[in-house]
Amino acid sequence: MNNRVWQICETDKQICDKIMAENGVMPITAKLLANRGLIEKADIENFFNRDGMPLHDPFLLKDMDKAVARIEKAIAEKQTVCIYGDYDVDGVTSTVMLYLYLCSRGLKCEYFIPERISEGYGLSLPVIEKMKGRVDLIITVDTGVTAVAEAEYARSVGIDMVITDHHSCRETLPDVCAVVNPHREDSLYPFRNLAGVGVVFKLLCALEGDTKRILDLYSDIIAVGTVADVMPIIDENRRITCIGLQKLAKTENVGLLALMNKAGIIKAGKKSKKITSATVGYVLAPRINAAGRIACASRAVELLLTNDVNEADIIAEELCEINKLRQATEQKIYEQAVEMINQSGANDKFIVLAYDGWHQGVIGVVASKIAERYSRPCILFSLDGDTAKGSGRSIKGFSLMDALSACGDLLIEYGGHELAAGLSIERGQIESFRNKINEYSENILGECETACPLEIECEVKFGDLTEKAIDEMLKLEPFGLSNPQPVFVLKNIQLKDIVPLSFGKHVRFRVCGVENGRNCSLNAVSFGMAYDSFGFKEGDICDVAFTADLNEYMGMRTPQLFVKAVRYAESEASEMTKCNNCFEMLCNGKKYENAEKDIPDLADFRSVFRYIRREAVGGGSALSLISAVRTLDEEFDIHVTLCKFKIILEVLNEQKLIQLSYRPDGNTVFVKMLPSLGKINIDESPLLRTIRAAKA
């Protein structure tokens, strides 16, 4: 649909020089600090002094005093309390931490996390009904702020409620003992971006009266929940996460240890990977999340609560297997969603898709991938009978909650954050919803082509990527929202030694170039980019966007690039633009100088078709147009222009000899051979006739 724009930050040289002079940092670090608005020496010192960052008074949170009073009453009167959580990592870690603490205070405590498919998100009237006469107090974690009717029913059956949440508030809050949420309109709390587990952390600090003790006990759990819920890693979240990652590296939590072992973070009793926010976000969190998405989140709670090593190993192995199933399910839905978008031909600002039987537990993750691929907010609905449950993901600068509020009259219910939300709707209202949310989005988004750029910190040279420079850059960790892992770009480099990894799931290659008269090269890997879909060939001159780290092996530390995106260098990209312009002119029957060289004859068709048939074996193959033309010239002595090659592909596609699907970059095309329909006369192609008319 559209190409994701690479947006390279422009940094004021004078500001960078000032940062370097006052703080003694290297040029790359100075640019990173400037890009984050950290210019003054005191602010930079505070940022690097992670242990010295402030933690705010928990009683600044509205209703915190009421929450503490009601919980202390429950402890004093030996009442029964139920923790009512959510099924994601934030909800699981919140539940675990509060349960451990309340049990340590001698409270009779139980927990409940709804099953995603059968019971849905948030508080449930039937569940509250089952608690009647047995539970004195419900404490919600990571949920509850919109549960007005449920709170009223709980009160009517004699159950008090304390709500702790961090989701967006509605105009009317539930009538309960306390609603602790930094997003309350009347909140005076100086930091609004706590995760659900962060709100529970503040509650425990208020109950205990000793923040250090709570951090000593639970900071690893808090960090996992905060990072997994993609909270901004700034302000007190930065300090909490820093402390938590340090504790996680030497955690005594039996369940976390088992999970890190099964996930390969720990091997033979030793850490095999550095524990960073990426470790949590990409390794631990998906496995914990998988329980709530595919099975039951209570299983993840059991893992983090158990002190039995054998039980922890069994559950951790189970979560890893569930995660594999989750990945396969996601991939299938993702492919179906992309196919639906391709077939519809729609150019909606807001992508809305619905399908019978899509797994409700994973459509949110797929919506995130679709939003990133097409640079547009997206909602996927799983249809079941007369209703549909949906999950949405947004893009930077577009509030999903505001959009849903504008369409609230069409929805059964909805809730969430600016960038992620859940909702339900009647099947018959989906088309009206699609139209209404696109009408709303038209005014907000404007041109979608730049709505979700790949944000790049700065261009670098090989000489910038030294061990010392990367070491210093890594002092900005932990990375996350509002302090993203830096993405850099190397321009006009050559790709070499391209090989598949993990049976073709990933790609490894070397980036090479000449700098200051010497040959330079670095190892690079692109995780998640299938080898068959990579599209680029050895020798291609490209720009590569990447994050950098240090690979430690046999006592050696060498820079390694983790590739986010690859595109052709400007010189080759301009050739593609020229090709597309010529192609459009010929398709419209317009002449231009030397058009004859771009119009294929029958021999060209035969030569190229043989090449394509060789390349598109099996299910098909991704071809870079530029690389294909170079290969034809160098390896097969077949000389065709870029425009001629594209014309041949399009005519073969028109005649149903092949099937084409262009990637967003416009240069990479997936080619699939189609079953033969017998002898086909290329000269009868309407497209080719139009093109040949331009030559006449």
Side-chain angles (χ1 to χ4, degrees), residues 487-503:
V487 177
F488 306 104
V489 62
L490 275 167
K491 290 188 174 182
N492 296 303
I493 53 88
Q494 190 175 49
L495 305 187
K496 290 188 178 180
D497 301 335
I498 303 171
V499 295
L501 293 177
S502 299
F503 305 101

Side-chain angles (χ1 to χ4, degrees), residues 378-622:
C378 172
I379 290 174
L380 300 188
F381 285 108
S382 173
L383 297 169
D384 183 14
D386 294 330
T387 61
K389 291 186 177 180
S391 189
R393 296 296 185 270
S394 191
I395 58 178
K396 185 178 179 179
F398 183 87
S399 172
L400 191 54
M401 284 300 293
D402 288 349
L404 293 179
S405 295
C407 306
D409 59 315
L410 298 174
L411 302 174
I412 298 172
E413 60 180 352
Y414 64 94
H417 304 296
E418 180 176 317
L419 296 177
L423 63 157
S424 59
I425 191 172
E426 293 179 2
R427 180 189 286 258
Q429 295 281 20
I430 291 177
E431 193 59 33
S432 297
F433 173 77
R434 177 186 287 110
N435 293 333
K436 189 167 185 177
I437 204 163
N438 268 284
E439 183 180 339
Y440 170 87
S441 304
E442 188 77 30
N443 299 323
I444 305 296
L445 285 174
E447 291 297 323
C448 277
E449 281 67 27
T450 58
C452 188
L454 175 61
E455 296 183 345
I456 297 170
E457 302 275 358
C458 59
E459 180 183 351
V460 294
K461 304 295 184 186
F462 283 96
D464 295 321
L465 298 171
T466 64
E467 178 184 342
K468 181 179 178 182
I470 295 173
D471 251 336
E472 187 176 86
M473 178 265 291
L474 293 175
K475 291 179 181 177
L476 274 67
E477 288 185 334
F479 299 122
L481 193 64
S482 298
N483 180 33
Q485 186 169 15
V487 177
F488 306 104
V489 62
L490 275 167
K491 290 188 174 182
N492 296 303
I493 53 88
Q494 190 175 49
L495 305 187
K496 290 188 178 180
D497 301 335
I498 303 171
V499 295
L501 293 177
S502 299
F503 305 101
K505 293 180 181 178
H506 318 297
V507 181
R508 185 177 66 201
F509 53 91
R510 284 192 304 123
V511 295
C512 305
V514 177
E515 196 168 287
N516 298 324
R518 65 185 184 92
N519 293 325
C520 302
S521 71
L522 289 169
N523 292 324
V525 61
S526 180
F527 290 116
M529 172 56 73
Y531 178 76
D532 289 341
S533 303
F534 186 57
F536 297 93
K537 302 297 182 183
E538 194 148 326
D540 282 349
I541 306 300
C542 297
D543 299 337
V544 176
F546 61 91
T547 62
D549 206 340
L550 292 170
N551 182 41
E552 300 186 25
Y553 181 72
M554 300 289 288
M556 298 287 291
R557 304 174 81 220
T558 55
Q560 184 170 24
L561 314 186
F562 295 95
V563 176
K564 307 288 287 185
V566 182
R567 69 181 184 187
Y568 279 100
E570 187 174 345
S571 58
E572 301 206 359
S574 64
E575 284 297 308
M576 196 64 228
T577 301
K578 181 180 177 182
C579 159
N580 290 332
N581 291 338
C582 293
F583 177 78
E584 290 298 322
M585 291 179 71
L586 288 173
C587 287
N588 291 317
K590 295 180 181 179
K591 299 178 181 180
Y592 59 89
E593 187 178 359
N594 297 323
E596 292 86 351
K597 74 180 188 311
D598 290 328
I599 300 176
D601 59 23
L602 187 58
D604 293 324
F605 273 101
R606 286 172 175 164
S607 298
V608 171
F609 184 70
R610 283 195 293 269
Y611 167 74
I612 293 170
R613 188 166 53 190
R614 190 198 75 165
E615 292 294 310
V617 294
S621 178

